[in-house]
Amino acid sequence: MHDPTHVERSDAPSGGPSEPPADPDPVAPPGATTVPRERDLVEVVPGVWVATAEIWTTTSTVVTTPDGRVLVVDPAVTVAEVEGLAAAVRARGWRVTAGFATHPHWDHVLWSPRLGDAPRWATERTAEATQRRRAAVLTSTEAAAPGHDPALVGALTPLPRGARRLPWPQAALTDPCSVTVVEHDAHAPGHAALVVRTPHGSALLAGDMLSDVEVPLVDTDARDPVAVYRGALDALELAARGVDVLVPGHGSPAVGRAAVSARFAADRAYLDALDAALRGGAMPDDRRLAGYVAEWHDAQLEALRSR
């Protein structure tokens, strides 16, 4: 979600290991005096764990290998929550060896010194957009989740243009894990989902799409925003065929293939209704249109009508 150009929620809070346990902690944030409280991690398929933040039910995903290496995807949101995620990783004896940011909105480009200094990958366009809009990203971060180290916010390493595989894990394992990058332009240019496959399960880490609590938010600057979004859904569905679970950037995981299919159907139904509304038809009837999501829908509809 939440692009600095979008209206921020008025009820957002105003305040706010990369080595095995035997080793020293990574450098703690400036001024830190207490050990962070561990986040709750829920294993949705073997080796894929999800923590859910209070703001916007934002998810952080931890992918693990059998030997304890960790890929952290979109760690969020408050300083305490990101530090708590690092504490949960460390408590299990895991070590962070990579990070990934699905897109350039501020709540998806956060980090903590406690997570260590592993490379934090993103698509080339996500990394470029984050740097180009760095001032706005930092302003939004400080407004909604103050206290993050500005040097770490958005400090991303771009993947080669068009990369389709994440270079993680890097060593051959007896229990292999592959991570496919699916880049598209829905929601934000250069947005990427990850498809994680292991012999024991598979997951689509969808970024800011396919949520059970938020409707699709299109990139209103795209040439044909709704068509671009539909195309991205098609690409994701093809790449993630047969996955066991879908993890959205905001909301609850969809567990089971029927639940995953239902998420795609719901987003397509909203886009159909949005198209109809733009042509003077009825407004979308979607249970997700409540509270701040309804406000964002109204702003989105107005922006599309004014194009």
Side-chain angles (χ1 to χ4, degrees), residues 218-231 275 304 307:
V218 304
D219 176 15
T220 56
D221 293 328
R223 179 179 56 82
D224 189 340
V226 176
V228 166
Y229 208 106
R230 284 198 182 103
D275 245 351
L304 291 172
R307 283 167 56 90

Side-chain angles (χ1 to χ4, degrees), residues 174-210:
T174 57
D175 196 2
C177 171
S178 68
V179 183
T180 302
V181 180
V182 186
E183 183 175 354
H184 56 78
D185 290 333
H187 189 63
H191 193 299
L194 299 179
V195 181
V196 179
R197 296 189 185 275
T198 79
H200 307 295
S202 55
L204 169 62
L205 313 184
D208 274 5
M209 299 178 69
L210 300 161

Side-chain angles (χ1 to χ4, degrees), residues 101-307:
T102 58
H103 61 288
H105 297 166
W106 72 267
D107 51 326
H108 295 265
V109 298
L110 304 173
W111 200 253
S112 167
R114 294 183 186 272
L115 288 169
D117 59 357
R120 298 162 55 193
W121 288 301
T123 67
E124 183 180 59
R125 288 185 295 162
T126 285
E128 187 278 331
T130 303
Q131 288 305 307
R132 175 167 41 85
R133 303 182 62 189
R134 181 168 177 76
V137 169
L138 291 175
T139 297
S140 292
T141 300
E142 188 63 19
H148 280 285
D149 183 348
L152 294 179
V153 175
L156 305 176
T157 299
L159 292 169
R161 180 176 288 272
R164 296 186 179 182
R165 290 290 292 270
L166 201 66
W168 182 94
Q170 294 175 321
L173 299 171
T174 57
D175 196 2
C177 171
S178 68
V179 183
T180 302
V181 180
V182 186
E183 183 175 354
H184 56 78
D185 290 333
H187 189 63
H191 193 299
L194 299 179
V195 181
V196 179
R197 296 189 185 275
T198 79
H200 307 295
S202 55
L204 169 62
L205 313 184
D208 274 5
M209 299 178 69
L210 300 161
S211 170
D212 59 335
V213 297
E214 296 182 353
V215 298
L217 293 177
V218 304
D219 176 15
T220 56
D221 293 328
R223 179 179 56 82
D224 189 340
V226 176
V228 166
Y229 208 106
R230 284 198 182 103
L233 289 176
D234 292 344
L236 290 178
E237 191 170 42
L238 179 63
R241 185 182 306 168
V243 297
D244 301 304
V245 65
L246 180 158
V247 182
H250 303 272
S252 303
V255 180
R257 295 179 185 179
V260 172
S261 295
R263 293 287 177 91
F264 280 93
D267 274 12
R268 288 187 174 113
Y270 171 82
L271 294 175
D272 290 344
L274 183 64
D275 245 351
L278 291 171
R279 297 192 301 269
M283 299 294 288
D285 180 15
D286 191 306
R287 66 176 181 80
R288 296 173 290 183
L289 289 175
Y292 75 94
V293 179
E295 295 175 7
W296 280 340
H297 160 75
D298 290 343
Q300 172 166 265
L301 189 60
E302 181 179 351
L304 291 172
R305 283 174 171 165
S306 66
R307 283 167 56 90

